[in-house]
Structure formats: structure tokens, C-alpha cells
Amino acid sequence: NAGVTQTPKFQVLKTGQSMTLQCAQDMNHNSMYWYRQDPGMGLRLIYYSASEGTTDKGEVPNGYNVSRLNKREFSLRLESAAPSQTSVYFCASTFRGRSYEQYFGPGTRLTVT
Amino acid sequence: DAKTTQPNSMESNEEEPVHLPCNHSTISGTDYIHWYRQLPSQGPEYVIHGLTSNVNNRMASLAIAEDRKSSTLILHRATLRDAAVYYCILRLSTSGSEKLVFGKGTKLTVNP
């Protein structure tokens, strides 16, 4: 099993550009999450999806949209990137009801200039 | 969500036990205590969790104070691979909440 995979690993955007971060898991998990981690900080939840077809806002949703494409895939879209969105983005997944044990992907390092 | 307080950094020597403290004085009766760790340039990984009783698994032990206002993650014999940032997190066990709230964590340095 590959676990949780994220693409791309690195990305540089100019202010105002858009992009979609992709996340997929092959563990048959119900719930998926997007976090961001700024330098020297802990992770902050952007959006989560408790099950296929549902999404909810986390702590810092402004400037982002998400799509739970199917059970395996959960994408994060930046419509108009801003320098404040420079961060490392992590996707995670778990079985519903077992959110204490989330499995994280390797992260996408995004720089917005 | 209730908050946790951890020291910014700690140091240990290889093959010695490590006790990582966490204060959570505003914890409620239904909050679970979780620990995750993040190795350099990787995503976090689950370590252990508990509610009231002490817990052991292959990675670590979790000691929870009787009043639940503090807890300690114990690594019995630190190795160089245990150098990471350790996060103490509370999560509501009811109301369908599926969110973990990460703080800044404790950066553990393990000296050879």
C-alpha cells in the first residue's frame, strides 16, 4: 500500500495564480483532512471530509476550496494564491470514528511570490 | 477546544528514558489525550492516545495524572530516530468531532 500520496511535492506560484493540490489514499479510509503548517508552528486544519460527499470547514478555510472526488481522493484548490498561503500542506486520512489515528502524507511545499 | 501547554524543547541522551510533559488544565471529562510526532521533513505520525488510564504500546507509554490535568509521554529508551517534534493534542470524544488541534509541540533532541 502507498498510504497517503500527495502531488506535487513542491510548487512555486505567483500571486493571483491558481492551483489544485491532489491527495489520494489507498487504505479505504472514510475521513480525509487538509492541514497547513507554517514555519515553527503546529498544523492547522483547513478543511476536512468526514465521508464521501461531505466537507466541513476547519480552523483556517479562507482562500481555499476542497472537493471530495470519491472515497480515495480529496483535493485542495487555491483560486487566487497569496503570499500568506506560503506553507507546507499535509493531507491525512483515517477511518471514521478512529480520528485519533490519522495517517499523513509527505506534504506539499508551496511558495507564493 | 481545550488547550495544551508543552515545553518548546527538550534534550536526551541515546538509550536513556525520556519523559515529555504536557499540561491540559482545561481538559473536560470527555477529551481524549493524543500524542503525535513529526520527524524532520515528514508528516506527523500517531504515537499513542488515552482517556483516563495509563496506556502502553510498542512506541511509547502514556501516563495520565489522576486529575487528568497533565500527562507524560514516556519513551523508554531514546534512539537517534526519536529526534522529532512531539505534539500533545486533545480531542473531544463526543458530538461527532473529528478534529485534532495541534499546538507547537516539543522539539526533542537526542544526543549520541
Side-chain angles (χ1 to χ4, degrees), chain A residues 3-6 27 33 35 43 90-93 101-107, chain B residues 36 42-46 100 102:
Chain A
V4 179
T5 56
Q6 293 183 235
M27 296 174 282
Y33 308 79
Y35 293 88
L43 280 71
F90 290 100
C91 177
S93 70
E101 188 173 2
Q102 296 184 16
Y103 292 81
F104 284 79
Chain B
Y36 276 69
Q42 294 189 27
E45 64 173 338
Y46 167 80
L100 300 179
F102 287 76

Side-chain angles (χ1 to χ4, degrees), chain B residues 78-93:
Chain B
T79 70
L80 296 178
R81 289 179 298 174
D82 291 322
V85 177
Y86 287 79
Y87 298 99
C88 171
I89 302 158
L90 302 183
R91 181 187 67 93
L92 288 175
S93 65

Side-chain angles (χ1 to χ4, degrees), chain B:
Chain B
D1 294 314
K3 293 186 72 172
T4 62
T5 304
Q6 300 176 254
N8 289 334
S9 62
M10 291 184 65
E11 274 195 51
S12 174
N13 295 320
E14 203 174 5
E15 298 191 4
E16 290 184 355
V18 181
H19 291 231
L20 296 161
C22 181
N23 286 320
H24 28 78
S25 58
T26 60
I27 193 170
S28 72
T30 54
D31 284 345
Y32 278 82
I33 301 157
H34 300 70
W35 285 83
Y36 276 69
R37 73 179 185 181
Q38 186 173 20
L39 301 172
S41 300
Q42 294 189 27
E45 64 173 338
Y46 167 80
V47 177
I48 201 166
H49 79 287
L51 183 62
T52 55
S53 305
N54 294 345
V55 184
N56 299 298
N57 66 21
R58 63 177 178 79
M59 289 182 71
S61 296
L62 176 60
I64 302 172
E66 200 167 328
D67 63 6
R68 300 205 333 119
K69 293 187 185 300
S70 65
S71 61
T72 302
L73 179 72
I74 302 165
L75 307 179
H76 295 285
R77 288 185 67 206
T79 70
L80 296 178
R81 289 179 298 174
D82 291 322
V85 177
Y86 287 79
Y87 298 99
C88 171
I89 302 158
L90 302 183
R91 181 187 67 93
L92 288 175
S93 65
T94 59
S95 76
S97 174
E98 303 236 353
K99 296 180 283 188
L100 300 179
V101 179
F102 287 76
K104 294 183 181 180
T106 297
K107 183 175 183 179
L108 176 66
T109 301
V110 180
N111 301 313

Side-chain angles (χ1 to χ4, degrees), chain A residues 80-101:
Chain A
S80 179
S84 60
Q85 295 179 303
T86 293
S87 190
V88 181
Y89 291 84
F90 290 100
C91 177
S93 70
T94 190
F95 287 112
R96 186 175 174 80
R98 288 177 62 93
S99 62
Y100 56 82
E101 188 173 2

